[in-house]
Amino acid sequence: MTVNSSISREELQESLETRTVEHTHDEAANSMFGFIVFLLSESIIFLSFFAGYIVYKTTTPDWLPPGVEGLEVREPAINTVILVSSSFVIYFAELALKRHNMWGFRLLWLTTMMMGSYFLYGQAVEWSSLHFTVTSGVFGGMFYLLTGFHGLHVFTGVLLQLIMLVRSLIPGNYDKGHFGVDATSLFWHFVDVIWIILFLLIYIWQ
């Protein structure tokens, strides 16, 4: 009777542990699904802006503001290379975390943050050197809307990365899962893809 009771307790405990693991897995999967839906909604917003930009560019007679012949491409191209390269860096940071290499994760994660911050700095420098404002016709309004809205997403991504970096300093914080890191990394890839499209539309297609 005692043996059977002990076995029953062990089986019950194993069953509870199994259900807990499955519940944790389902919760993480559901959270990631919800985050992907969020990114899809963000994609629709950006796509509507891109569509508006194309329509205005192809239908507005005097597209560029008076005195503006075009946009400088060199510095934005450098910023583009840095931002796109950061996607590879954050990918390797994720791999380091999955291999429980915390110092490697922190170093690569911090490098990604620095690359994102440099991109924002480069954009601020570009804005300060432009000879048109948000009120300089349709082009001025669309330019600052698109680059500013994207810059806001880059800034948000850097803040999320900072939070994940601080959380990595808590011992054992990522032992049971790292949804926050995965979601932040996915968000960063999204921001990079959006910028590639934006760069082609605004800087290459002039």
Side-chain angles (χ1 to χ4, degrees), residues 24 93-94 96-103 105-106 109 159-185:
T24 302
E94 279 190 284
L97 180 60
K98 292 176 181 178
R99 295 169 182 168
H100 305 288
N101 180 5
M102 294 305 300
W103 283 110
F105 164 75
R106 291 172 186 137
W109 200 259
L159 284 182
L160 291 174
Q161 291 167 22
L162 177 60
I163 294 173
M164 296 304 110
L165 182 63
V166 172
R167 290 186 61 190
S168 73
L169 301 176
I170 303 175
N173 189 57
Y174 289 137
D175 289 348
K176 295 181 180 180
H178 34 79
F179 163 74
V181 170
D182 295 339
T184 300
S185 179

Side-chain angles (χ1 to χ4, degrees), residues 66-182:
V68 178
E69 297 181 356
L71 295 172
E72 173 65 35
V73 179
R74 181 177 176 274
E75 293 301 325
I78 293 175
N79 284 342
T80 299
V81 171
I82 291 174
L83 188 64
V84 173
S85 299
S86 69
S87 266
F88 295 95
V89 178
I90 202 171
Y91 169 75
F92 286 111
E94 279 190 284
L95 289 182
L97 180 60
K98 292 176 181 178
R99 295 169 182 168
H100 305 288
N101 180 5
M102 294 305 300
W103 283 110
F105 164 75
R106 291 172 186 137
L107 177 61
L108 292 169
W109 200 259
L110 180 61
T111 302
T112 306
M113 291 176 57
M114 294 174 64
M115 296 172 80
S117 299
Y118 181 86
F119 175 86
L120 291 173
Y121 168 75
Q123 190 171 66
V125 171
E126 180 192 13
W127 278 17
S128 64
S129 64
L130 293 175
H131 299 292
F132 60 90
T133 65
V134 68
T135 60
S136 300
V138 180
F139 173 78
M142 292 299 296
F143 174 85
Y144 283 102
L145 171 65
L146 287 171
T147 57
F149 192 55
H150 176 267
L152 177 62
H153 281 71
V154 175
F155 180 72
T156 302
V158 173
L159 284 182
L160 291 174
Q161 291 167 22
L162 177 60
I163 294 173
M164 296 304 110
L165 182 63
V166 172
R167 290 186 61 190
S168 73
L169 301 176
I170 303 175
N173 189 57
Y174 289 137
D175 289 348
K176 295 181 180 180
H178 34 79
F179 163 74
V181 170
D182 295 339

